[in-house]
Amino acid sequence: MYHDSDQSNPPSDVCLLLRAYAEQRWLSREVVPVLRQLQSTDELPEEQLGAALAYLEVTWLEAARHATETEAAFAALEETAPDTEEALPSKARRYHVAVRFLREAVARHVDAFIAAPCNTERAREHAGF
């Protein structure tokens, strides 16, 4: 089993798991509910649309920060244990792939709203879940 040389920091596989979990949690609990609310014409009155879009932009900026941290943790794992087949690094890599897939899926929906905030009906149709 490998270990990072600096004992004050957790191993890179643990760091990746923690960063990926934080990103997944942020996407699932903060970004996706706003997207669903924006998509639903019944739940969001037209006068609240601007505030919801602004909140989406803010939560998406935070999601981008989480993504950067996740990718840095992945790079660190690849640097310290590039080809290891050990259980924890392998699980960390698989979880990273799943979170990256979620990030990309959510990004498509966010882009539909942020790119065309003036045409919200079209964005709602395009960003459907």
mmCIF file of all heavy atoms in Angstrom, residues 28 33 59 75 78-79 87 92 100 103 106 115-116:
data_model
loop_
_atom_site.group_PDB
_atom_site.id
_atom_site.type_symbol
_atom_site.label_atom_id
_atom_site.label_comp_id
_atom_site.label_asym_id
_atom_site.label_seq_id
_atom_site.Cartn_x
_atom_site.Cartn_y
_atom_site.Cartn_z
ATOM 1 N N SER A 28 -26.041 18.142 -6.226
ATOM 2 C CA SER A 28 -27.328 17.507 -5.941
ATOM 3 C C SER A 28 -28.220 18.324 -5.024
ATOM 4 O O SER A 28 -29.437 18.334 -5.191
ATOM 5 C CB SER A 28 -27.106 16.133 -5.311
ATOM 6 O OG SER A 28 -26.409 15.302 -6.201
ATOM 7 N N PRO A 33 -31.757 21.388 -7.485
ATOM 8 C CA PRO A 33 -33.074 21.901 -7.083
ATOM 9 C C PRO A 33 -33.436 23.240 -7.734
ATOM 10 O O PRO A 33 -34.599 23.470 -8.094
ATOM 11 C CB PRO A 33 -32.953 22.039 -5.563
ATOM 12 C CG PRO A 33 -31.921 21.042 -5.183
ATOM 13 C CD PRO A 33 -30.934 21.059 -6.316
ATOM 14 N N THR A 59 -24.670 29.689 -7.470
ATOM 15 C CA THR A 59 -24.436 28.292 -7.079
ATOM 16 C C THR A 59 -23.569 27.582 -8.110
ATOM 17 O O THR A 59 -22.779 26.712 -7.757
ATOM 18 C CB THR A 59 -25.743 27.510 -6.862
ATOM 19 O OG1 THR A 59 -26.529 27.534 -8.051
ATOM 20 C CG2 THR A 59 -26.545 28.064 -5.705
ATOM 21 N N ALA A 75 -5.761 14.812 -10.053
ATOM 22 C CA ALA A 75 -4.402 14.943 -10.588
ATOM 23 C C ALA A 75 -3.372 14.496 -9.553
ATOM 24 O O ALA A 75 -2.383 13.832 -9.899
ATOM 25 C CB ALA A 75 -4.143 16.380 -11.025
ATOM 26 N N GLU A 78 -3.352 10.750 -9.462
ATOM 27 C CA GLU A 78 -2.678 10.219 -10.648
ATOM 28 C C GLU A 78 -1.163 10.386 -10.540
ATOM 29 O O GLU A 78 -0.412 9.568 -11.039
ATOM 30 C CB GLU A 78 -3.203 10.896 -11.912
ATOM 31 C CG GLU A 78 -4.623 10.504 -12.249
ATOM 32 C CD GLU A 78 -4.783 9.007 -12.444
ATOM 33 O OE1 GLU A 78 -4.241 8.471 -13.429
ATOM 34 O OE2 GLU A 78 -5.445 8.364 -11.606
ATOM 35 N N GLU A 79 -0.753 11.438 -9.869
ATOM 36 C CA GLU A 79 0.682 11.678 -9.698
ATOM 37 C C GLU A 79 1.304 10.722 -8.680
ATOM 38 O O GLU A 79 2.406 10.228 -8.876
ATOM 39 C CB GLU A 79 0.889 13.121 -9.233
ATOM 40 C CG GLU A 79 2.326 13.540 -9.125
ATOM 41 C CD GLU A 79 2.425 14.987 -8.706
ATOM 42 O OE1 GLU A 79 1.950 15.848 -9.462
ATOM 43 O OE2 GLU A 79 2.977 15.231 -7.621
ATOM 44 N N ALA A 87 -7.737 -1.152 -3.873
ATOM 45 C CA ALA A 87 -9.176 -0.922 -3.766
ATOM 46 C C ALA A 87 -9.546 0.552 -3.614
ATOM 47 O O ALA A 87 -10.376 1.065 -4.362
ATOM 48 C CB ALA A 87 -9.744 -1.730 -2.605
ATOM 49 N N ALA A 92 -11.895 5.516 -5.689
ATOM 50 C CA ALA A 92 -11.828 6.970 -5.807
ATOM 51 C C ALA A 92 -11.906 7.389 -7.272
ATOM 52 O O ALA A 92 -12.608 8.340 -7.617
ATOM 53 C CB ALA A 92 -10.551 7.497 -5.150
ATOM 54 N N ARG A 100 -17.874 13.435 -12.356
ATOM 55 C CA ARG A 100 -17.606 14.191 -13.593
ATOM 56 C C ARG A 100 -18.785 14.053 -14.551
ATOM 57 O O ARG A 100 -19.197 15.037 -15.186
ATOM 58 C CB ARG A 100 -16.335 13.675 -14.245
ATOM 59 C CG ARG A 100 -15.957 14.492 -15.482
ATOM 60 C CD ARG A 100 -14.724 13.949 -16.146
ATOM 61 N NE ARG A 100 -13.551 14.460 -15.465
ATOM 62 C CZ ARG A 100 -12.320 14.063 -15.744
ATOM 63 N NH1 ARG A 100 -12.100 13.137 -16.656
ATOM 64 N NH2 ARG A 100 -11.303 14.588 -15.114
ATOM 65 N N ARG A 103 -21.477 16.277 -13.232
ATOM 66 C CA ARG A 103 -21.101 17.673 -13.485
ATOM 67 C C ARG A 103 -21.410 18.065 -14.926
ATOM 68 O O ARG A 103 -21.972 19.129 -15.192
ATOM 69 C CB ARG A 103 -19.617 17.861 -13.206
ATOM 70 C CG ARG A 103 -19.110 19.263 -13.466
ATOM 71 C CD ARG A 103 -17.589 19.357 -13.489
ATOM 72 N NE ARG A 103 -16.938 18.617 -12.432
ATOM 73 C CZ ARG A 103 -15.766 18.008 -12.579
ATOM 74 N NH1 ARG A 103 -15.111 18.038 -13.729
ATOM 75 N NH2 ARG A 103 -15.218 17.353 -11.565
ATOM 76 N N VAL A 106 -25.246 18.284 -15.508
ATOM 77 C CA VAL A 106 -25.800 19.489 -14.891
ATOM 78 C C VAL A 106 -25.363 20.722 -15.680
ATOM 79 O O VAL A 106 -26.151 21.648 -15.883
ATOM 80 C CB VAL A 106 -25.399 19.580 -13.397
ATOM 81 C CG1 VAL A 106 -25.774 20.929 -12.801
ATOM 82 C CG2 VAL A 106 -26.056 18.449 -12.602
ATOM 83 N N ALA A 115 -27.216 30.860 -20.667
ATOM 84 C CA ALA A 115 -26.947 31.364 -22.014
ATOM 85 C C ALA A 115 -28.134 32.130 -22.587
ATOM 86 O O ALA A 115 -27.955 33.041 -23.384
ATOM 87 C CB ALA A 115 -26.574 30.219 -22.942
ATOM 88 N N ALA A 116 -29.343 31.775 -22.201
ATOM 89 C CA ALA A 116 -30.539 32.401 -22.776
ATOM 90 C C ALA A 116 -31.530 32.808 -21.696
ATOM 91 O O ALA A 116 -32.671 32.378 -21.708
ATOM 92 C CB ALA A 116 -31.192 31.438 -23.750
#
